[in-house]
């Protein structure tokens, strides 16, 4: 069944997952957590990270149990062919919608901050063409690109937000732990949505060189992503204020427009910031698009996965162009993020529990 | 194969010539707005907008020739519109170039507009990204038109002049320094209260001493220079400026230059109403004394006490006006309660407007003399 014999190493898996989690939604994350928990928002992010790691244990355990199968195959072994087929369809729809919201949000940000008059469809299609060009080469090149882009992405993000520190007022993070437990819990669940991207693990199993180190891989990936998230949330809160953050659609981007690099060498960092977010959304779209195509391949037991990239292409483009404005996009994003919990944690959990009860393991069909 | 290679090269090279962009505007089709003035107009819900536009060819021409600089370097155009965007679009009927706001340096709001509702005016400045969030904001006495008509002699460009005047925090603490981003932040985190730079203008100069007091998005009054300096001391924003006090021996004045300051607010008592204490740490140099005085160690120490007293007086003056006359909490006392005593704040959240004017603040200033120059 493996059409592409390329395997990815542990560091490649880690960066692939981190770059998938780290997407343009980070720009709006400070607003989400501010609305739920005010100044305790950064704690909510940490709790959300921990919850995500706990949730990812389900996926990891499945990978450990069925190291040679993807979700499609082991769900067939556990719950039978017909129900598994429908789950496969759900998965394909989810991955299609996930790549489409990433690309769409990216186009939305570019439209708002840089190219006001450029048609959104054009931004979407150029981004998609680049993605298609890359993922046609398979999973190993995609992981390698993630490996190359990772430092190019992370170091400037830290450097860029650090510039805001002289303007920051860290008393904005007070009062500490002043939020009702219920709001904290809701906020943490909501933050889990921001970690959507770990679902690609459903399809990654057989492509990993050492699936036995999956727990460690997931721990590093989620921990690094949480650190980046917390850092950005704290800097945004301290620099533009918690109340102000609630009003902005993309506080993570607006902050760039209020800060000035020291020495006035680079007065504006907008272009740098947008370049970074281009990379971030590109890597995320790659993973989702590729995983979608892989799901299709495994579901139909086809030899060639490139064919399915072509099949998914128009659908992603269509769904990405449908929302008329950012308010509708936000709604779609929210729906997909709820879907990410369903697809990434709930369904795998059921499969895992059933497989334990029925004592199904890899090889024992 | 070779033929394909050539084709590819041709295709790739054609990209260089064919790159197009929807957002392309040639730089000579743009007018860079330097400063914006906003006034009220006779029509309801409409404002008069003044845009100051640098004229590129005049700036270049003036620098080269000795007697060449005939024309003005800056033009000012005015228009009436419902919002700043509407105003700029109306100008499209009269100007052949696009107005471009990315390099906007200063926004001057007229007194009448500020006394009305500021929310209506500032909304597009937050909503649209084309407005430069690093531009500075000021409220002027009377009409903004007066500021827009100033013809500065120090700089060619009015916007450059206005911006750098407003940036001189290192030289004086007698005005409120604020850029648009900070202004929006203050407005939102303090429920519409803020201190904004005040501006007054004559033909060739503006004066920025003092501050405008905004309460619930409306201008309620002004602070004079000393009160502004007092409020700045309170907030820990002073990075320069001077204090003039009487000589310890009583026959002249001493000028004390401020190097820097730190302030620390803390809650002293919770009952019956909150009581605060403020510690201000000021460091500075002695720049001038009455001639012939020889400074001894005791004199310097005495001087520290006198300077502290003067600063305390200024702070009290500013605090009194803000607290008792304007009843505006730009001193961030409620903010302090919310951040450090959230339990207590919940009790006062509703009634803070009534409690605030009666809150007691105990002010202590600690001054250190760092340098005395090269004579004793």
């Amino acid at each position: 069944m493996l059409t592409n014999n390329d395997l990815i190493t542990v560091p490649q898996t880690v960066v692939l997952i981190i770059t998938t989690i780290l997407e343009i939604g980070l720009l709006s994350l400070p607003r989400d957590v501010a609305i739920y928990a005010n100044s305790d928002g950064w704690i909510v992010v940490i709790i959300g990270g921990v919850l995500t790691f706990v949730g990812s244990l389900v996926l990891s355990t499945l990978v450990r149990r069925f190291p040679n199968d993807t979700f499609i195959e082991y769900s067939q072994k556990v719950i039978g062919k017909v129900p598994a087929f429908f789950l496969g369809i759900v998965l394909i729809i989810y991955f299609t919608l996930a790549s489409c919201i990433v690309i769409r949000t990216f186009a939305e940000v570019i439209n708002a901050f840089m190219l006001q008059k450029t048609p959104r469809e054009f931004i979407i299609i150029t981004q998609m063409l680049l993605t298609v060009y890359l993922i046609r080469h398979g999973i190993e090149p995609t992981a390698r690109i993630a490996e190359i882009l990772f430092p190019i992405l992370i170091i400037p993000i830290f450097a860029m937000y650090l510039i805001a520190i002289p303007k920051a007022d860290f008393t904005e993070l007070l009062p500490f732990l002043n939020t009702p437990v219920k709001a904290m819990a809701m906020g943490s669940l909501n933050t889990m949505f921001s970690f959507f991207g770990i679902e690609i693990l459903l399809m990654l199993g057989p492509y990993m060189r050492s699936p036995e180190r999956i727990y460690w891989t997931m721990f590093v990936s989620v921990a690094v992503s949480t650190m980046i998230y917390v850092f950005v949330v704290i800097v945004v809160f301290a620099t533009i204020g918690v109340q102000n953050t609630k009003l902005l659609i993309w506080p993570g981007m607006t902050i760039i427009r209020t800060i000035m690099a020291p020495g006035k060498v680079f007065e504006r960092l907008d272009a740098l910031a947008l370049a970074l977010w281009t990379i971030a959304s590109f890597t995320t779209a790659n993973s989702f698009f590729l995983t979608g195509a892989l799901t299709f391949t495994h579901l139909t037991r086809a030899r060639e996965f490139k064919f399915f990239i072509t099949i998914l292409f128009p659908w992603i483009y269509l769904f990405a162009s449908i929302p008329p404005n950012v308010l509708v996009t936000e709604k779609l994003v929210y729906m997909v993020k709820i879907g990410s919990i369903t697809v990434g944690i709930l369904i795998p959990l059921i499969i895992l529990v059933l497989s334990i009860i029925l004592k199904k393991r890899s090889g024992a069909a | 194969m070779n033929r394909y290679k050539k084709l590819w090269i041709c295709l790739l090279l054609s990209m260089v010539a064919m790159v197009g962009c929807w957002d392309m505007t040639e730089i000579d089709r743009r007018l860079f707005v330097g400063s914006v003035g906003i006034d009220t107009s006779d029509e309801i819900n409409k404002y008069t907008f003044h845009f100051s536009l640098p004229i590129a060819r005049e700036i270049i021409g003036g620098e080269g020739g000795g007697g060449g600089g005939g024309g003005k370097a800056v033009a000012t155009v005015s228009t009436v519109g419902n919002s700043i965007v509407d105003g700029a679009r109306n100008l499209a009927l009269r100007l052949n170039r696009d107005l471009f706001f990315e390099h906007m340096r200063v926004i001057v709001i007229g007194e009448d507009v500020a006394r009305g509702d500021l929310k209506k005016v500032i909304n597009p400045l937050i909503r649209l990204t084309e407005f430069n969030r690093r531009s500075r904001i000021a409220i002027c006495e009377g009409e903004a038109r007066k500021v827009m008509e100033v013809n500065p002699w120090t700089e060619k460009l009015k916007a450059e002049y206005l911006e750098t005047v407003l940036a001189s925090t290192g030289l004086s603490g007698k005005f409120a320094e604020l850029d648009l981003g900070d202004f929006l932040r203050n407005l939102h985190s303090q429920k519409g209260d803020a201190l904004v730079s005040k501006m007054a203008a004559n033909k060739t100069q503006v004066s920025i001493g003092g501050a405008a007091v905004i309460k619930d998005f409306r201008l309620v009054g002004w602070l004079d220079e000393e009160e502004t300096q007092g409020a700045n001391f309170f907030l820990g924003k002073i990075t320069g400026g001077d204090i003039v006090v009487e000589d310890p021996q009583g026959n002249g004045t001493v000028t004390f230059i401020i190097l820097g300051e730190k302030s620390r607010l803390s809650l002293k008592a919770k009952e019956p109403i909150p009581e605060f204490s403020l510690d201000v740490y000021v460091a500075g140099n002695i720049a001038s004394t009455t001639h012939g005085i020889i400074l001894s160690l005791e004199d310097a120490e005495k001087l520290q006490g006198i300077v502290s007293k003067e600063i305390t007086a200024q702070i009290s003056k500013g605090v009194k006006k803000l607290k008792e006359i304007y009843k505006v909490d730009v001193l961030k006392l409620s903010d302090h309660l919310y951040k450090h005593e959230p339990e207590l704040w919940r009790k006062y959240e509703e009634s803070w407007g009534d409690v605030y004017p009666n809150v007691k603040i105990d002010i202590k200033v600690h001054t250190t003399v760092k340098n005395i120059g090269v004579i004793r």
Side-chain angles (χ1 to χ4, degrees), chain B residues 28-327:
Chain B
D28 63 353
R29 293 261 65 87
R30 261 183 177 159
L31 283 173
F32 294 90
V33 176
S35 41
V36 177
I38 307 174
D39 272 328
T40 45
S41 75
D42 302 333
E43 292 165 74
I44 293 170
N45 263 338
K46 282 198 174 184
Y47 301 94
T48 313
F49 295 94
H50 312 280
F51 301 104
S52 90
L53 311 161
I55 308 167
R57 61 173 177 279
E58 296 296 339
I59 299 165
I60 297 161
E63 261 170 24
K72 280 199 296 181
V74 179
T76 307
V77 288
S78 303
T79 178
V80 176
N82 285 308
S83 68
I84 187 165
V85 182
D86 185 37
R89 294 291 181 275
N90 289 345
L91 275 179
L93 302 175
R94 287 192 269 146
L95 297 175
N96 61 334
R97 299 186 181 191
D98 297 352
L99 291 187
F100 188 59
F101 291 92
E102 276 280 2
H103 298 274
M104 179 173 74
R105 299 292 185 83
V106 182
I107 301 167
V108 183
I109 298 176
E111 192 174 342
D112 290 340
V113 177
R115 287 204 191 271
D117 200 345
L118 270 178
K119 267 186 210 162
K120 292 179 191 161
V121 189
I122 61 170
N123 192 289
L125 305 178
I126 317 174
R127 188 174 295 281
L128 298 183
T129 54
E130 79 182 273
F131 296 102
N132 186 3
R133 277 194 170 231
R134 302 170 191 92
S135 54
R136 288 169 199 278
I137 189 156
I139 293 181
C140 81
E141 254 179 346
E143 281 186 303
R145 187 178 52 84
K146 277 195 294 182
V147 173
M148 301 304 284
E149 281 171 358
V150 165
N151 208 353
W153 56 270
T154 45
E155 303 290 339
K156 265 203 136 147
L157 299 180
K158 199 182 305 173
E160 173 94 15
Y161 167 67
L162 293 177
E163 189 200 12
T164 41
V165 163
L166 285 170
S168 57
T169 40
L171 296 174
S172 176
K174 290 178 176 164
F175 68 99
E177 191 254 349
L178 204 67
D179 69 16
L180 185 58
D182 289 336
F183 176 61
L184 300 175
R185 171 194 172 150
N186 284 358
L187 280 183
H188 292 128
S189 49
Q190 292 167 39
K191 300 189 180 69
D193 301 345
L195 275 186
V196 189
S197 329
K198 170 187 167 185
M199 211 175 239
N202 65 20
K203 280 209 169 71
T204 56
Q205 278 173 345
V206 295
S207 162
I208 54 162
V213 184
I214 309 279
K215 184 183 188 181
D216 196 16
F217 296 96
R218 279 164 213 276
L219 175 71
V220 289
W222 309 96
L223 291 187
D224 70 16
E225 293 180 7
E226 272 191 10
E227 290 156 355
T228 312
Q229 182 151 309
N232 279 337
F233 267 121
F234 192 101
L235 297 167
K237 277 186 172 172
I238 299 269
T239 54
D242 68 315
I243 296 278
V244 178
V245 292
E246 225 168 74
D247 198 288
Q249 287 158 16
N251 44 13
T253 58
V254 174
T255 310
F256 181 81
I257 293 180
I258 302 158
L259 288 176
E261 102 63 39
K262 268 202 176 79
S263 72
R264 211 182 66 227
L265 188 68
S266 50
L267 191 68
K268 205 168 139 199
K270 292 183 181 176
E271 299 291 333
I273 59 165
E275 212 170 296
F276 293 91
S277 71
L278 178 81
D279 288 283
V280 180
Y281 301 88
V282 184
N285 300 342
I286 293 170
S288 147
T289 56
T290 314
H291 193 70
I293 301 269
I294 291 175
L295 282 174
S296 62
L297 189 57
E298 291 85 59
D299 284 335
E301 270 164 12
K302 223 190 249 169
L303 212 58
Q304 290 180 359
I306 299 173
V307 171
S308 297
K309 223 166 127 191
E310 173 65 22
I311 294 175
T312 313
Q314 285 190 2
I315 298 177
S316 315
K317 210 172 142 197
V319 168
K320 196 172 173 201
K321 193 138 188 196
L322 287 170
K323 207 157 60 88
E324 284 160 28
I325 297 174
Y326 294 134
K327 298 182 175 139

Side-chain angles (χ1 to χ4, degrees), chain A residues 112-113 115-119 167 169 171-172 174-175 178 238-240 244 247 254 256-259 268, chain B residues 21-23 102-103 126 129-134 179 181-182 184-185 188-189 338-340 342-343 346:
Chain A
F113 287 95
L115 307 170
Q116 270 100 359
K117 289 173 196 151
T118 307
K167 263 193 116 169
D169 168 18
T171 59
E172 283 289 341
L174 293 169
N178 185 41
T239 311
I240 50 182
N244 205 0
L247 288 177
T254 306
I256 305 292
R257 295 185 58 85
T258 57
I259 58 181
R268 280 139 207 269
Chain B
C21 177
W22 276 267
D23 295 86
E102 276 280 2
H103 298 274
I126 317 174
T129 54
E130 79 182 273
F131 296 102
N132 186 3
R133 277 194 170 231
R134 302 170 191 92
D179 69 16
D182 289 336
L184 300 175
R185 171 194 172 150
H188 292 128
S189 49
Y338 167 69
K339 282 174 179 167
H340 298 276
E343 298 293 322
R346 237 166 259 152

Side-chain angles (χ1 to χ4, degrees), chain A residues 62-298:
Chain A
L62 276 172
V63 170
R64 286 287 293 268
R65 268 181 98 83
F66 304 96
N68 299 321
D69 296 332
T70 66
F71 178 78
I72 303 298
E73 283 102 26
Y74 56 67
S75 63
Q76 282 177 4
K77 287 174 190 167
V78 175
I79 55 171
K81 284 216 165 133
V82 177
F85 184 78
F86 284 108
L87 281 187
I89 302 271
V90 169
L91 222 58
I92 293 171
I93 294 174
Y94 168 72
F95 284 127
T96 310
L97 285 178
S99 29
C100 112
I101 61 154
V102 171
I103 293 170
R104 172 58 192 242
T105 317
F106 168 73
E108 207 85 65
V109 172
I110 289 278
N111 249 193
F113 287 95
M114 194 164 249
L115 307 170
Q116 270 100 359
K117 289 173 196 151
T118 307
R120 229 169 253 148
E121 289 75 13
F122 182 77
I123 302 172
I124 292 171
I125 207 125
T126 41
Q127 174 97 349
M128 282 181 69
L129 285 175
L130 191 60
T131 299
V132 167
Y133 174 71
L134 173 67
I135 62 173
R136 275 179 72 84
H137 293 91
I139 189 155
E140 206 272 340
T142 310
R144 217 169 339 131
I145 272 284
E147 213 176 8
I148 296 167
L149 290 178
F150 181 71
I152 303 180
L153 182 63
I154 300 301
I155 296 168
I157 285 184
F158 271 94
M160 188 169 71
Y161 284 105
L162 275 179
I163 290 171
I165 296 285
K167 263 193 116 169
D169 168 18
F170 286 100
T171 59
E172 283 289 341
L173 300 176
L174 293 169
F176 180 64
L177 284 181
N178 185 41
T179 321
V181 179
K182 200 184 157 203
M184 286 284 251
M186 287 305 291
S188 309
L189 282 178
N190 202 56
T191 322
M192 271 180 88
F193 297 162
S194 299
F195 286 89
F196 84 118
I198 56 166
E199 307 83 63
I200 61 166
L201 215 58
L202 288 171
M203 303 305 299
L204 236 46
Y207 298 99
M208 287 189 320
R209 195 163 280 172
S210 28
E212 68 281 358
R213 285 167 71 191
I214 183 72
Y215 291 120
W216 172 243
T217 309
M218 286 317 286
F219 176 73
V220 175
S221 315
V222 177
V224 171
S225 318
T226 314
M227 264 167 54
I228 299 167
Y229 278 22
V230 170
F231 171 72
V232 172
V233 167
I234 287 181
V235 171
V236 168
F237 277 11
T239 311
I240 50 182
V242 174
Q243 298 306 322
N244 205 0
T245 306
K246 288 185 188 173
L247 288 177
L248 301 164
I249 299 184
W250 295 290
M253 195 60 211
T254 306
I255 178 180
I256 305 292
R257 295 185 58 85
T258 57
I259 58 181
M260 214 184 276
K264 286 201 170 180
V265 184
F266 304 106
E267 196 186 305
R268 280 139 207 269
L269 298 163
D270 310 24
L272 171 71
L274 282 174
L276 292 177
W277 295 118
T278 310
I279 298 174
S281 71
F282 168 63
T283 48
T284 310
N286 286 342
S287 309
F288 281 128
F289 202 159
L290 179 67
T291 340
L294 285 177
T295 317
F296 226 142
T297 320
H298 284 270

